[in-house]
Amino acid sequence: MALAKLKSRISPEQYLAGERQSELRHQLIDGEIYAMTGGSENHNLLEGNIFNLFKNGLKGKPCKTFMSDMKLRIADDFFYPDVMVVCGEDKQDNYYKTAPVVIVEVLSKTTRKFDQTAKRLRCQTIPTLEEYVLVEQDKGEIQVFRRNQHWQSFYYYLGDQIEFAALDLSLSVADIYEQVDNEDVAAFNQAPPAEPLL
């Protein structure tokens, strides 16, 4: 989703008060407010698929899955992650979370650089965060940064499984890309099934 910078600098308190009354969503970064625009069809499908897979896979566990209407607070900055998973208690405020275990961002042309760099580095300072995930919408590729691997990145493609060790959960890349319209997904869906090993 795209960000449009607004001119005024505001405090976290002013931001939170304004967000509760606003019909539009904004992020607060270094005291500056950025309006958020809507995402594409593929962005929406990926966000929904990931939310559902986490929610269903974590049923019965002490974890909650949130979509892009729930804010994340890091110091005095506020973001709207596409999907985040919070385990245990995180009830500082009903309108934002501070202790996610997993954060997922679906990349778009307008937010790609920020999500890959500045936002990722800020998120990696969260003590509870174990995995930061970047999902491509125009191809079948997912990048996962893991704390237990010193934030080294790992790539996953259609046909792969992604292990989320902190959640004791495995997700199929093909399930994440269900109904998404891009060339990689089309090619994967048309490929003949693999022959069983004897």
Side-chain angles (χ1 to χ4, degrees):
M1 292 185 202
L3 300 177
K5 183 177 175 181
L6 304 180
K7 292 183 179 179
S8 59
R9 292 180 67 88
I10 62 172
S11 70
E13 294 73 26
Q14 291 170 314
Y15 165 79
L16 288 168
E19 281 299 276
R20 290 184 182 127
Q21 299 173 3
S22 177
E23 293 182 9
L24 299 175
R25 292 180 303 155
H26 305 85
Q27 297 190 109
L28 182 67
I29 305 166
D30 295 330
E32 296 182 344
I33 193 166
Y34 295 80
M36 298 181 67
T37 62
S40 68
E41 178 178 320
N42 278 349
H43 190 289
N44 192 267
L45 286 168
L46 285 162
E47 184 179 309
N49 289 346
I50 295 163
F51 172 83
N52 286 329
L53 290 166
F54 275 135
K55 187 165 178 57
N56 292 334
L58 294 169
K59 190 172 183 179
K61 296 181 180 179
C63 298
K64 294 178 181 176
T65 306
F66 297 95
M67 287 183 75
S68 56
D69 282 338
M70 178 58 72
K71 289 180 283 299
L72 167 66
R73 182 172 188 168
I74 305 173
D76 287 340
D77 295 334
F78 291 84
F79 306 98
Y80 283 93
D82 290 320
V83 178
M84 67 177 159
V85 178
V86 175
C87 298
E89 292 296 314
D90 188 355
K91 296 184 177 179
Q92 184 175 341
D93 191 283
N94 283 334
Y95 293 94
Y96 63 80
K97 298 298 170 190
T98 60
V101 175
V102 174
I103 292 172
V104 181
E105 296 292 352
V106 178
L107 296 175
S108 64
K109 289 181 176 70
T110 53
T111 63
R112 168 184 299 279
K113 184 177 179 183
F114 180 69
D115 287 345
Q116 289 176 325
T117 56
K119 187 173 187 178
R120 175 177 61 84
L121 294 173
R122 289 176 199 224
C123 288
Q124 286 175 189
T125 67
I126 302 169
T128 58
L129 189 71
E130 294 296 329
E131 284 144 330
Y132 183 84
V133 183
L134 298 174
V135 180
E136 295 281 357
Q137 60 176 306
D138 298 324
K139 57 184 176 177
E141 179 182 290
I142 297 175
Q143 187 178 15
V144 181
F145 298 83
R146 293 189 172 95
R147 178 182 296 277
N148 67 5
Q149 298 290 329
H150 309 287
W151 297 115
Q152 179 181 348
S153 66
F154 296 84
Y155 288 87
Y156 299 87
Y157 302 92
L158 292 156
D160 292 341
Q161 292 282 128
I162 304 176
E163 299 291 333
F164 293 93
L167 303 175
D168 191 25
L169 182 65
S170 176
L171 299 185
S172 158
V173 174
D175 288 344
I176 290 171
Y177 281 91
E178 183 181 1
Q179 296 186 332
V180 171
D181 182 15
N182 67 40
E183 289 182 11
D184 287 354
V185 174
F188 180 81
N189 289 336
Q190 291 174 1
E195 292 291 327
L197 297 174
L198 298 177

